[in-house]
Amino acid sequence: MTRRTLLATGLGALLAAPALGQDTTLRLAFIPQENPDKLLGDIEVITGWLSQELGVPVEGFVTIDHAAAVEALRNGDADISFMGALPFVLAEAEIGAVPLLSEVYRGEPYYTGRIFVRRDSGITSLADLEGRDIAFADPISESGYLYPLAEFQRAGLISGVEEADTFFGRIFFAGGYQQAMQAMAQGLVAAAGASQYADLLLTPEQQPQVTWIAESPRIPSHVVIARPGLDKGLRARFVETMMRLNDPVHRDMLQYLYGPDGYVRADPEAFDGVREMAREYGLLS
């Protein structure tokens, strides 16, 4: 078993990007933060709404992870993608990706990463996880890996990412928040590193059974990005249309886009801290 072993076998096969069609089709890449079957249904609803509002065909597909979404943008198989802040800064450096929108939660375009455990596990501190198994969401996720892992470094338990393998029993990358949280809730691993809101992806029965023992500094929320070659006029119309989701008449559609409270226009400078962490971990030069 390797660090990148997937706990959720249902994500083992990539749902292939749609073939390139007419030039006016807008293609959206989604990452599997939650159950991919549910996400496929959500995509059908939101792309239908966007097609109607934009007046152009809109298609969506699910990638296996953040890296696959970046590749889809690079190859022109996707025009726009929903992803975390860390994958965005990597895509920015690699392909010149453009930030369009940031998610808003509880009035802020920020959130945190947490280390979750079961309440009945007896684990009350990060030190208690030495020699135990842990699941993270994705190896290039900020809230689902780097920021929660950095809490072990801040606590003096590891000096850097290279020591993580020797501190934990095994490290798994589950493929998404929900998958990592389910692995922890079902006792497959002792802990999960995920977004502060990831416990909401558990069942109502499971939610009271888990708690968190560490929380990262705040992180820029997930961002909607575009490939650099996307027509600027279509890009601007997409942004204006998405901003209308903040209006009460359209807010019910947010549930089909990972459930944020709304969107704001992305501020590139807000990601400076993420860029710094990416350089610290050797992901950016």
Side-chain angles (χ1 to χ4, degrees), residues 31-270:
I31 56 172
Q33 294 178 16
E34 55 191 42
N35 184 300
D37 292 332
K38 176 184 180 299
L39 185 54
L40 286 172
D42 290 347
I43 289 171
E44 184 176 356
V45 175
I46 196 62
T47 54
W49 182 82
L50 286 170
S51 295
Q52 181 178 6
E53 296 296 313
L54 286 169
V56 300
V58 180
E59 300 173 352
F61 61 97
V62 183
T63 66
I64 194 170
D65 55 21
H66 288 88
V70 175
E71 283 305 304
L73 292 171
R74 184 200 306 273
N75 298 333
D77 294 328
D79 301 305
I80 288 172
S81 182
F82 299 75
M83 63 176 54
L86 177 61
F88 156 62
V89 301
L90 299 180
E92 178 186 51
E94 292 175 10
I95 66 172
V98 180
L100 304 180
L101 298 158
S102 291
E103 295 177 347
V104 173
Y105 289 96
R106 299 180 184 178
E108 294 284 350
Y110 298 95
Y111 69 130
T112 65
R114 289 176 175 174
I115 299 295
F116 292 91
V117 298
R118 296 183 308 280
R119 291 184 183 274
D120 63 0
S121 66
I123 298 170
T124 60
S125 71
L126 296 179
D128 293 338
L129 290 172
E130 185 172 4
R132 309 288 291 273
D133 295 346
I134 188 169
F136 292 104
D138 188 298
I140 58 168
S141 169
E142 64 291 337
S143 62
Y145 180 45
L146 289 190
Y147 275 74
L149 183 64
E151 289 307 294
F152 292 88
Q153 186 172 352
R154 286 159 59 91
L157 298 171
I158 61 174
S159 62
V161 66
E162 65 281 352
E163 288 190 3
D165 281 329
T166 57
F167 177 80
F168 298 107
R170 292 176 298 176
I171 296 175
F172 297 93
F173 291 103
Y177 294 146
Q178 187 174 48
Q179 297 90 326
M181 293 295 288
Q182 279 294 338
M184 175 273 301
Q186 295 178 29
L188 301 178
V189 295
S195 157
Q196 74 178 95
Y197 302 114
D199 57 335
L200 299 178
L201 298 173
L202 296 173
T203 67
E205 293 75 24
Q206 289 174 321
Q207 289 175 20
Q209 298 171 7
V210 305
T211 187
W212 55 275
I213 57 173
E215 183 173 42
S216 77
R218 69 182 194 173
I219 311 165
S221 63
H222 284 200
V223 62
V224 185
I225 72 174
R227 62 177 178 85
L230 180 62
D231 178 79
K232 291 184 178 180
L234 181 55
R235 189 172 75 191
R237 288 166 55 200
F238 173 81
V239 170
E240 292 298 331
T241 300
M242 290 287 288
M243 289 292 287
R244 293 209 299 274
L245 292 172
N246 296 324
D247 299 337
V249 67
H250 297 307
R251 288 183 65 85
D252 64 319
M253 299 301 297
L254 292 168
Q255 65 183 304
Y256 304 110
L257 284 166
Y258 305 109
D261 296 334
Y263 287 95
V264 294
R265 295 177 188 275
D267 176 8
E269 294 183 1

